[in-house]
Amino acid sequence: MIVLPIVLFLFVMLLLPLAITGFTVDMVTVAVTKLGFAPGLAILLLAAIVIGSSINIPLYQKNLQPVGMSWGPQRSVVALNVGGGLIPIILALYQITRGHALAILVTTAIVTLVSYSAAQVVPGTGIRMNAMVAPLTAVVCAWLIGGVAAPSVAFAGGILGTLIGADLLHLREIERLSSGTLSIGGAGVLDGIALCGLFALLLA
């Protein structure tokens, strides 16, 4: 019977999004707990990041002549994405207020150097970097100097280091190569900043 394979296919396709959502919520719950928050905040935080992924806050704009373009100056707008940039940054800065500021700052500095070296500016695409470079660097630093606060140190240092090293220090170069809206954290949940924080927490 040809009906059975079709039914199984539809059944799997319906369950797959639910399974992925459940797995994501479980990961975020573990991460939120390691940061010292109540597990019940996981869904609220995940929803805020997903919704915020569609919101960009303009920071500044400038006119530029992109490399290789013969027509007039183009406008470039640099923005901060709420879901992939602002929320992770706020959570990282909050970890500093909970103590172990020195360990977080040292980890941030090391991750910044590694991210700056590993990140590549690709015209028309943006920043490209191996997704595990910054998290692994943050975790190793957190294990060595973070002590019992290793998860918080890895999370905050990973996010801030990725932001500074991969995005901010390459911002001028990106501006010269492309016009339009340049969104920091613009990939939302899948952006390098957010992924770095999540991976660093789970690994720590």
Side-chain angles (χ1 to χ4, degrees):
M1 293 289 291
I2 197 172
V3 175
L4 184 57
I6 295 177
V7 172
L8 289 175
F9 174 76
L10 293 176
F11 183 71
V12 170
M13 292 302 294
L14 288 174
L15 284 183
L16 188 58
L18 295 177
I20 294 175
T21 301
F23 180 68
T24 303
V25 171
D26 286 342
M27 286 197 304
V28 174
T29 300
V30 172
V32 165
T33 303
K34 286 188 175 183
L35 288 178
F37 297 107
L41 289 176
I43 295 179
L44 180 62
L45 180 60
L46 181 60
I49 292 176
V50 171
I51 295 173
S53 299
S54 61
I55 303 173
N56 287 310
I57 302 174
L59 301 178
Y60 65 89
Q61 65 181 36
K62 61 185 297 185
N63 292 326
L64 71 154
Q65 180 68 53
V67 176
M69 294 186 180
S70 58
W71 52 85
Q74 304 293 306
R75 189 178 68 170
S76 175
V77 178
V78 176
L80 177 63
N81 186 266
V82 173
L86 181 60
I87 293 177
I89 292 171
I90 290 176
L91 291 175
L93 294 176
Y94 172 71
Q95 297 306 308
I96 296 179
T97 67
R98 300 180 65 214
H100 304 280
L102 181 59
I104 292 176
L105 292 177
V106 171
T107 300
T108 297
I110 295 174
V111 175
T112 295
L113 291 175
V114 173
S115 297
Y116 179 76
S117 301
Q120 295 180 331
V121 178
V122 181
T125 300
I127 298 294
R128 181 177 296 170
M129 183 176 70
N130 188 305
M132 295 306 298
V133 169
L136 288 175
T137 304
V139 168
V140 171
C141 292
W143 280 342
L144 294 176
I145 64 177
V148 294
S152 295
V153 172
F155 175 80
I159 283 180
L160 297 177
T162 302
L163 169 70
I164 298 170
D167 289 340
L168 297 185
L169 293 182
H170 287 287
L171 193 57
R172 294 289 181 87
E173 188 176 355
I174 298 176
E175 289 176 352
R176 291 197 300 268
L177 294 176
S178 60
S179 60
T181 300
L182 307 175
S183 179
I184 299 172
V189 180
L190 298 178
D191 191 84
I193 297 175
L195 283 177
C196 177
L198 179 61
F199 288 158
L201 267 181
L202 295 178
L203 290 171

